[in-house]
Amino acid sequence: QSALTQPASVSGSPGQSITISCTGTSSDVGTYNLVSWYQQHPGKAPEVMIYEGTKRPSGVSNRFSGSKSGNTASLTISGLQAEDEADYYCCSYAGRGTWVFGGGTKLTVL
Amino acid sequence: QLQLQESGPGLVKSSETLSLTCTVSGGSISSSSYYWGWIRQPPGKGLEWIGSIYYSGTTYYNPSLKSRVTISVDTSKNQFSLQLSSVTAADTAVYYCARLTTAHQGWDIWGQGTMVTVSS
């Protein structure tokens, strides 16, 4: 069970859109529609932003959206705001009750 | 609303066993709608799933940690616990307890996290 692959960092200006990729394998992302995305501000616990690949929990801005193609899931944030600057992690079900996280992506709002 | 709170020693000696407890308040750990889990984050690094438990006691572990991990549940105290044996400096991390919904809504509630340092 290897960690999912995410870019170490992405950046964008306020108002722009960015996309963070999360690449797994046919044993996790490619097989199960159970990818979730988490936002983590410094010193804070993670917060779920997307679940089941594309769904938003109540209270999460519709500027956050998720998608999947093959073994790669993606998180898109549109209309970037300063408050979006944080670390983002993907997580996928990997079968037999196990879960795997991505290495994390640091989002910088320029 | 439901809250999770980790507790346990912040300092553990190398080769010994790390023990943490997560207390669930504002709701029942015995709900059939949730799993309960432990996730850790070494300083400056990413998240790592350690394992999960159902209120019935069914457990699932990260294969890379399975030989050293035990997760248990005490429904009478509304708590679940983590034991990690033979710790090394690589086990130094913030340890989070979290709730996972059986409705596939992800890890939706997290504790604040507790820092555990392994010393030599």
Side-chain angles (χ1 to χ4, degrees), chain A residues 57-105:
Chain A
S58 61
V60 172
S61 170
N62 60 9
R63 297 185 299 104
F64 291 82
S65 62
S67 62
K68 192 186 91 166
S69 177
N71 295 338
T72 299
S74 299
L75 173 71
T76 297
I77 308 173
S78 59
L80 269 180
Q81 299 179 0
E83 67 205 48
D84 299 331
E85 185 162 295
D87 293 327
Y88 291 85
Y89 294 90
C90 59
C91 178
S92 175
Y93 183 64
R96 299 185 180 183
T98 68
W99 298 84
V100 60
F101 281 91
T105 298

Side-chain angles (χ1 to χ4, degrees), chain A residues 1-6 21-37 52-53 67-74 90-95 98-102:
Chain A
Q1 189 184 64
S2 299
L4 307 176
T5 301
Q6 298 180 232
S21 62
C22 169
T23 301
T25 69
S26 58
S27 296
D28 39 61
V29 175
T31 293
Y32 304 101
N33 290 318
L34 293 176
V35 173
S36 48
W37 288 91
E52 282 189 280
S67 62
K68 192 186 91 166
S69 177
N71 295 338
T72 299
S74 299
C90 59
C91 178
S92 175
Y93 183 64
T98 68
W99 298 84
V100 60
F101 281 91

Side-chain angles (χ1 to χ4, degrees), chain B residues 11-49:
Chain B
L11 189 64
V12 181
K13 292 184 178 179
S14 183
S15 79
E16 295 188 343
T17 296
L18 177 160
S19 297
L20 296 174
T21 296
C22 182
T23 300
V24 179
S25 59
S28 174
I29 201 170
S30 299
S31 169
S32 60
S33 299
Y34 307 108
Y35 290 86
W36 308 91
W38 290 96
I39 294 158
R40 70 180 182 178
Q41 185 171 35
K45 296 187 178 180
L47 301 169
E48 180 180 33
W49 173 75

Side-chain angles (χ1 to χ4, degrees), chain A residues 1 33-34 36 38 40 43-48 50-52 57 87 89 91 96-104, chain B residues 39 41 44-49 52 60-64 96 100-101 103-113:
Chain A
Q1 189 184 64
N33 290 318
L34 293 176
S36 48
Y38 300 84
Q40 185 181 36
K44 301 295 186 180
E47 177 185 355
V48 61
I50 295 288
Y51 65 93
E52 282 189 280
D87 293 327
Y89 294 90
C91 178
R96 299 185 180 183
T98 68
W99 298 84
V100 60
F101 281 91
Chain B
I39 294 158
Q41 185 171 35
K45 296 187 178 180
L47 301 169
E48 180 180 33
W49 173 75
S52 307
Y60 306 95
Y61 297 134
N62 186 322
S64 67
Y96 294 99
L100 177 70
T101 76
H104 308 306
Q105 293 175 331
W107 299 92
D108 67 336
I109 297 178
W110 296 63
Q112 65 184 23

Side-chain angles (χ1 to χ4, degrees), chain B residues 58-71:
Chain B
T58 300
T59 53
Y60 306 95
Y61 297 134
N62 186 322
S64 67
L65 298 171
K66 188 173 184 177
S67 63
R68 298 195 291 130
V69 173
T70 301
I71 296 176

